[in-house]
Amino acid sequence: MDERGLDRDGTIAREGALERVPAAFGPVVDAARHHVTATFGSTRLHSAYLYGSIPRGTATPGVSDLDLQLALHDEPTEADRADAEAIEAELDRAFSQIDGVGILLTSARRLLSHAERHDGGFFIACLCTPLLGPDLAAQLPRYRPTTLLARETNGDLTRVLPRWRAGAAGATTDADRRILSRSVGRRTVRTGFTPIMPRWGGWTSDLDRSAELFGRYYPERAEQMCVAAAVGRVPSPERAALRMLIDDLGPWLAAEYTAVHGEKARLTAALTSTT
């Protein structure tokens, strides 16, 4: 992998590996593997993956969270979601090294579908590290930092903003605002990076690096994006930061994204079907 996150052939390199997991998080990953296997088994689980700072080797004990993607043989059910939430709670309670656990549930069929080729498929192939089962990346293409990838990976911020506003209005405690700020900060930085990704010609999931690169192309918004990166790493209960991200940077970024790359295909299809 070069300094732009690319392999020698110019495709985006897979960014994580089990050997990069910091020693402090080894017991957490082992426990996650055990709980997922014991709960879902081979009849429900196709494969499981780590993603985020832990497999990238950049996690900070007591600050970073544990992120898992489970690919199921069938579409997730309410029972599957309840079981995933139970695992989240158990791991978060058992390990002080992590501040929260998030488990995504998706069917293997959906992740390999044409509609998910440049979203869920890219996520599995480049941003996820295999933990259990056969690696779906073997059935997916190699990806390049193109406009198509940028549009389909993060091109739906307009759909997320109303949910964030509702979440902010209903957040009555500092804990509620910290949880929301982490999600808002991370998603904002990811979305901010992808419009400039084809021009820069590479890929990174590092929040600070993404914000720094974004600032080269949009210096007038650089300070705001640095705030997004900061709360994405260390969640904040500050209302002012959330308001800025949701009501100022967010709408501007959504409009800029569409102006640069166009609308996400599935978003366009969804809007068309309702008109």
Side-chain angles (χ1 to χ4, degrees):
M1 183 190 301
D2 66 15
E3 69 278 2
R4 292 177 186 262
L6 305 179
D7 280 331
R8 290 182 178 181
D9 63 357
T11 59
I12 297 171
R14 201 170 214 169
E15 62 180 17
L18 291 181
E19 55 266 27
R20 295 181 194 165
V21 173
F25 294 93
V28 183
V29 172
D30 290 342
R33 184 187 289 109
H34 168 75
H35 282 295
V36 169
T37 300
T39 301
F40 287 90
S42 60
T43 57
R44 296 159 73 192
L45 181 73
H46 175 278
S47 48
Y49 306 81
L50 296 172
Y51 69 96
S53 62
I54 291 179
R56 291 201 305 270
T58 60
T60 301
V63 175
S64 299
D65 58 347
L66 173 69
D67 296 308
L68 295 163
Q69 165 75 66
L70 305 190
L72 306 182
H73 288 296
D74 300 306
E75 293 301 317
T77 65
E78 288 305 312
D80 292 328
R81 294 186 179 90
D83 284 343
E85 289 175 0
I87 294 174
E88 290 173 345
E90 175 59 27
L91 291 173
D92 193 30
R93 181 168 54 248
F95 294 98
S96 61
Q97 299 97 309
I98 52 175
D99 180 20
V101 180
I103 299 178
L104 300 178
L105 299 175
T106 318
S107 71
R109 185 182 305 109
R110 179 180 174 190
L111 290 168
L112 293 174
S113 69
H114 178 74
E116 292 289 338
R117 181 57 51 89
H118 290 87
D119 194 352
F122 166 71
F123 178 65
I124 287 289
C126 296
L127 309 186
C128 286
T129 296
L131 182 66
L132 290 165
D135 185 6
L136 287 172
Q139 302 179 59
L140 292 162
R142 301 301 303 273
Y143 294 86
R144 296 179 183 274
T146 62
T147 291
L148 174 62
L149 179 62
R151 183 179 70 238
E152 298 303 304
T153 300
N154 279 305
D156 56 356
L157 192 60
T158 53
R159 299 181 68 181
V160 179
L161 285 169
R163 189 162 69 243
W164 286 349
R165 292 191 182 100
T172 57
T173 67
D174 283 355
D176 291 338
R177 285 185 287 274
R178 284 193 181 94
I179 292 171
L180 181 61
S181 71
R182 169 175 270 167
S183 175
V184 171
R186 291 181 178 185
R187 183 64 174 272
T188 300
V189 176
R190 307 286 187 232
T191 304
F193 171 72
T194 33
I196 63 99
M197 179 257 291
R199 286 179 277 175
W200 181 60
W203 180 272
T204 179
S205 289
D206 182 85
L207 294 178
D208 291 331
R209 178 96 167 116
S210 297
E212 184 268 326
L213 290 167
F214 170 87
R216 296 182 190 178
Y217 295 86
Y218 298 100
E220 71 282 5
R221 295 279 179 172
E223 185 176 349
Q224 290 181 320
M225 194 60 74
C226 286
V227 172
V231 300
R233 284 186 292 101
V234 183
S236 167
E238 293 298 324
R239 292 183 176 88
L242 270 176
R243 282 197 299 270
M244 180 275 289
L245 294 176
I246 296 173
D247 296 330
D248 185 5
L249 182 58
W252 173 85
L253 186 56
E256 180 66 13
Y257 204 110
T258 301
V260 173
H261 292 307
E263 290 184 337
K264 188 171 186 173
R266 283 185 293 144
L267 176 59
T268 300
L271 292 174
T272 301
S273 68
T274 59
T275 57

XYZ file of all heavy atoms in Angstrom, residues 3-4 189 192-197 199-219 222 225-226:
271
model
N 1.261 5.737 -0.101
C 0.783 6.794 0.790
C -0.632 7.248 0.457
O -1.258 7.966 1.251
C 1.739 7.994 0.741
C 1.750 8.761 -0.566
C 2.624 8.113 -1.638
O 3.192 7.036 -1.354
O 2.731 8.670 -2.742
N -1.151 6.820 -0.685
C -2.528 7.150 -1.052
C -3.473 5.965 -0.857
O -4.610 6.000 -1.325
C -2.596 7.648 -2.498
C -1.908 8.991 -2.687
C -1.925 9.435 -4.134
N -1.130 10.646 -4.288
C -1.618 11.880 -4.321
N -2.926 12.068 -4.229
N -0.831 12.912 -4.441
N -17.234 13.523 8.032
C -15.874 13.460 7.492
C -15.801 12.511 6.303
O -15.178 12.822 5.278
C -14.868 13.033 8.577
C -13.474 12.880 7.976
C -14.829 14.055 9.696
N -17.319 14.239 3.468
C -16.471 15.330 3.013
C -15.270 14.857 2.223
O -14.807 15.540 1.299
N -14.749 13.669 2.570
C -13.582 13.162 1.860
C -13.919 12.678 0.456
O -13.162 12.904 -0.491
C -12.931 12.015 2.649
C -11.854 11.310 1.879
C -10.632 11.915 1.633
C -12.079 10.031 1.375
C -9.642 11.273 0.902
C -11.095 9.379 0.647
C -9.875 10.002 0.418
N -15.054 12.016 0.302
C -15.318 11.386 -0.994
C -15.477 12.356 -2.159
O -15.102 12.001 -3.280
C -16.501 10.408 -0.903
O -17.461 10.875 0.039
C -16.049 9.044 -0.477
N -15.984 13.578 -1.998
C -15.993 14.471 -3.161
C -14.597 14.816 -3.675
O -14.406 15.059 -4.868
C -16.702 15.733 -2.643
C -17.549 15.266 -1.539
C -16.759 14.150 -0.894
N -13.615 14.824 -2.771
C -12.263 15.182 -3.214
C -11.422 13.934 -3.522
O -10.303 14.039 -4.037
C -11.552 16.083 -2.177
C -11.339 15.375 -0.843
C -12.362 17.345 -1.942
C -9.966 14.816 -0.639
N -11.956 12.746 -3.205
C -11.212 11.502 -3.380
C -10.716 11.268 -4.808
O -9.531 10.976 -5.006
C -12.063 10.324 -2.888
C -11.403 8.970 -3.044
S -12.084 8.073 -4.458
C -13.744 7.731 -3.867
N -10.110 13.497 -7.120
C -9.116 14.523 -7.445
C -7.791 14.251 -6.737
O -6.718 14.431 -7.315
C -9.650 15.911 -7.059
C -10.720 16.431 -8.000
C -11.219 17.804 -7.556
N -12.245 17.687 -6.521
C -12.787 18.736 -5.893
N -12.374 19.964 -6.179
N -13.733 18.558 -4.993
N -7.868 13.789 -5.489
C -6.650 13.436 -4.763
C -6.040 12.149 -5.296
O -4.831 11.969 -5.315
C -6.964 13.310 -3.274
C -5.773 12.976 -2.436
C -4.622 13.707 -2.299
C -5.608 11.818 -1.604
N -3.755 13.075 -1.435
C -4.335 11.910 -0.990
C -6.417 10.714 -1.312
C -3.854 10.943 -0.118
C -5.942 9.753 -0.430
C -4.677 9.871 0.150
N -6.922 11.226 -5.738
C -6.450 9.995 -6.360
C -6.067 8.903 -5.394
O -5.136 8.137 -5.660
N -6.801 8.785 -4.286
C -6.495 7.723 -3.333
C -7.619 7.537 -2.336
O -8.700 8.111 -2.487
N -7.372 6.716 -1.297
C -8.378 6.447 -0.278
C -7.739 6.434 1.105
O -6.638 5.914 1.283
C -9.063 5.100 -0.509
C -10.089 4.832 0.544
C -9.898 4.226 1.766
C -11.455 5.236 0.523
N -11.068 4.225 2.493
C -12.036 4.827 1.743
C -12.247 5.889 -0.425
C -13.369 5.065 2.047
C -13.578 6.128 -0.121
C -14.132 5.714 1.102
N -8.449 6.997 2.069
C -8.088 6.868 3.476
C -9.359 6.871 4.310
O -10.332 7.532 3.963
C -7.158 8.011 3.939
O -6.866 7.813 5.330
C -7.801 9.374 3.759
N -9.346 6.117 5.401
C -10.453 6.148 6.360
C -10.069 6.883 7.627
O -10.880 7.022 8.537
C -10.894 4.720 6.715
O -11.556 4.117 5.631
N -8.819 7.347 7.715
C -8.372 8.093 8.881
C -9.080 9.443 8.936
O -9.036 10.218 7.977
C -6.860 8.293 8.810
C -6.323 9.018 10.032
O -6.049 8.360 11.040
O -6.218 10.265 9.964
N -9.735 9.721 10.048
C -10.543 10.930 10.145
C -9.714 12.201 10.016
O -10.081 13.130 9.283
C -11.316 10.944 11.463
C -12.390 9.859 11.645
C -13.029 9.976 13.025
C -13.450 9.937 10.563
N -8.602 12.276 10.736
C -7.782 13.486 10.691
C -7.172 13.693 9.304
O -7.120 14.811 8.803
C -6.679 13.420 11.742
C -7.229 13.514 13.159
O -8.282 14.149 13.336
O -6.614 12.956 14.078
N -6.699 12.622 8.702
C -6.141 12.715 7.349
C -7.206 13.140 6.353
O -6.968 13.985 5.489
C -5.562 11.361 6.944
C -4.998 11.307 5.531
C -3.521 11.531 5.554
N -2.918 11.183 4.289
C -2.306 12.045 3.492
N -2.221 13.316 3.836
N -1.747 11.670 2.377
N -8.393 12.581 6.475
C -9.492 12.942 5.586
C -9.834 14.418 5.708
O -10.038 15.113 4.706
C -10.729 12.092 5.896
O -10.495 10.723 5.658
N -9.920 14.912 6.956
C -10.246 16.320 7.175
C -9.155 17.226 6.638
O -9.445 18.284 6.054
C -10.461 16.575 8.670
N -7.896 16.822 6.805
C -6.778 17.626 6.307
C -6.799 17.710 4.786
O -6.610 18.784 4.203
C -5.454 17.020 6.795
C -4.214 17.826 6.427
C -3.594 17.381 5.120
O -3.638 16.176 4.805
O -3.072 18.248 4.397
N -7.066 16.586 4.127
C -7.130 16.573 2.661
C -8.316 17.397 2.162
O -8.203 18.142 1.187
C -7.232 15.135 2.158
C -5.975 14.279 2.327
C -6.294 12.801 2.098
C -4.890 14.745 1.362
N -9.449 17.270 2.839
C -10.624 18.062 2.482
C -10.296 19.551 2.537
O -10.681 20.332 1.654
C -11.771 17.737 3.438
C -12.961 18.638 3.329
C -13.974 18.379 2.428
C -13.068 19.773 4.139
C -15.078 19.222 2.329
C -14.161 20.615 4.040
C -15.169 20.340 3.135
N -9.565 19.969 3.570
C -9.236 21.374 3.741
C -8.369 21.942 2.640
O -8.383 23.158 2.397
N -7.610 21.104 1.960
C -6.796 21.583 0.838
C -7.677 22.071 -0.310
O -7.315 23.000 -1.036
C -5.898 20.466 0.312
C -4.853 19.952 1.295
C -4.002 18.896 0.619
N -3.134 18.198 1.571
C -2.323 17.213 1.223
N -2.255 16.820 -0.047
N -1.570 16.628 2.141
N -8.827 21.425 -0.481
C -9.712 21.761 -1.589
C -10.803 22.748 -1.177
O -11.328 23.484 -2.013
C -10.358 20.479 -2.141
C -9.361 19.525 -2.756
C -8.678 18.601 -1.968
C -9.078 19.565 -4.114
C -7.755 17.727 -2.532
C -8.154 18.692 -4.680
C -7.494 17.783 -3.885
O -6.574 16.923 -4.438
N -11.163 22.749 0.099
C -12.208 23.635 0.609
C -11.690 24.358 1.856
O -12.159 24.111 2.974
C -13.477 22.856 0.938
C -14.113 22.170 -0.236
C -13.912 20.802 -0.460
C -14.920 22.869 -1.136
C -14.499 20.167 -1.542
C -15.513 22.247 -2.218
C -15.295 20.890 -2.421
O -15.879 20.262 -3.498
N -10.730 25.239 1.721
C -10.123 25.887 2.893
C -11.128 26.668 3.729
O -10.947 26.791 4.951
C -9.061 26.802 2.283
C -9.450 26.968 0.847
C -10.115 25.695 0.453
N -12.493 24.191 6.156
C -11.511 23.304 6.783
C -11.692 23.223 8.293
O -11.625 22.142 8.894
C -10.104 23.768 6.443
N -14.611 21.052 9.277
C -14.354 19.630 9.075
C -13.410 19.085 10.135
O -13.529 17.920 10.541
C -13.785 19.385 7.684
C -13.798 17.913 7.282
S -15.461 17.166 7.257
C -16.151 17.905 5.765
N -12.500 19.902 10.632
C -11.627 19.473 11.737
C -12.446 19.215 12.999
O -12.146 18.291 13.766
C -10.544 20.511 11.996
S -9.234 20.535 10.759
